[in-house]
Amino acid sequence: MAQAAVDTCVREIPAYRELPASVLEGDLLANTRAVIELFLTTIAEGRPPTERELDLPISWGAERARDGVPLHAVLRIYLLGAREAWQQAVVTAGPELSPEALALAMLDFLGTVTPRVAEAYQQEYADLDFEHREQRQHLAGALLAGRPAWRTAERFGRTLADQYEVITFRLPEPTPGTPASPGGRADVLAPARSTATVFRAIRAEFDRLPDVLATFKGDGGTLLLPALQGEPAHEQEVSRLFARLNAAAGTRCMAAAALAHSHEAIPDAYTEAAEVLALGESLRCAPGLYRLADLAVEYQLAKPSPARDALARRIAPLMAHPHLIVTLREFLAVGCHRAAAAAALTIHRNTLTYRLGRIQVLTGYDATQSADMRQLAAAITAFDSIGGIDRP
């Protein structure tokens, strides 16, 4: 029932499609299930919900406010959940509970819960100063889309910078661990620090920076940082902003940046940053902030072309031996240092030597020779950039 209600919300209400998947599949699903279980429990026991039982639904309404979900969307999921519960209860209810009595009980339940949820939402909305946040998101969206934003900024009483650093980032991957939400079922697992929690922490962090425009979507977002005069000062400011992002996330994020020298250049800067971010992720780069210059060779090699495909095919003989691809990637990553590669792979140096020999036999290139090493480095970059290839 809960899954059906959440699926309908995602399908019919755009605001829910903007939430990270971890919120939809974790917090929101667990919350919806718990509310439906509470309703069915009160029906079975013939009583209204207690104040303690209402504490969690009320707090969840405040969470949706922090997620930026509009109030009408928050309340609608209660109606959708009630419809699913009604359809199930009508089928399974015994003769002692008539449809009329069930309908009255449902109306009483909704009449008790939804006003309290709306009240908690509105209080949280006021505390978060949503108007200020929405103005910044609206301006960021306009600039990223290449629309004029000066008049909009004047209407909001804001001043735009002439140049912006465009920083796009991805939230870190969550790791499984604890129950999805307070009061949730023990078999519904979520990360020890869920993406939803990280998402809210990052939004709250950048709410404190009035000059930084921010927009969030899915499991990431884009920041527009006013560019300072002078390259050293500007780079220091970018580094500080990235440090704040990492602190809010609780770990190092993957991000990419590009400088836009005018408002008209912001869409192109965003495209460049997004491509660099995607490339860094496909190449399994360490978390950090990257620019095009940092991955210029890889960027060029990853561009679709016959040359890229020919390079990638040099790795094709290794596709039946995934451990050899891992070995080659790690050996190249540590600068072809045998001891460091063996330690990273947790294998004996003799095992590493054997694997490098197998790579040479299968590909015809010796990773220990500088000329062949450069060829294999280019080949593994092309291979990773397209996610592997089918063997010919």
Side-chain angles (χ1 to χ4, degrees), residues 239-285:
S239 297
R240 280 194 290 267
L241 186 71
F242 184 58
R244 296 186 72 151
L245 172 64
N246 290 330
T251 186
R252 284 180 64 80
C253 297
M254 278 292 290
L259 180 61
H261 293 284
S262 67
H263 289 189
E264 292 75 16
I266 288 177
D268 288 340
Y270 169 74
T271 298
E272 177 182 310
E275 289 181 350
V276 171
L277 176 60
L279 178 61
E281 291 177 327
S282 70
L283 297 180
R284 301 172 178 84
C285 293

Side-chain angles (χ1 to χ4, degrees), residues 278-347:
L279 178 61
E281 291 177 327
S282 70
L283 297 180
R284 301 172 178 84
C285 293
L289 178 66
Y290 294 87
R291 293 185 180 278
L292 180 58
D294 299 320
L295 299 174
V297 173
E298 294 83 354
Y299 184 88
Q300 196 62 37
L301 287 171
K303 284 293 184 182
S305 70
R308 181 198 65 175
D309 296 341
L311 280 170
R313 286 195 177 87
R314 291 180 179 173
I315 305 300
L318 305 181
M319 292 182 67
H321 313 279
H323 66 290
L324 295 182
I325 296 179
V326 173
T327 298
L328 175 60
R329 189 181 287 120
E330 193 62 47
F331 184 67
L332 294 170
V334 298
C336 301
H337 191 280
R338 288 177 182 265
L345 293 164
T346 63
I347 60 176

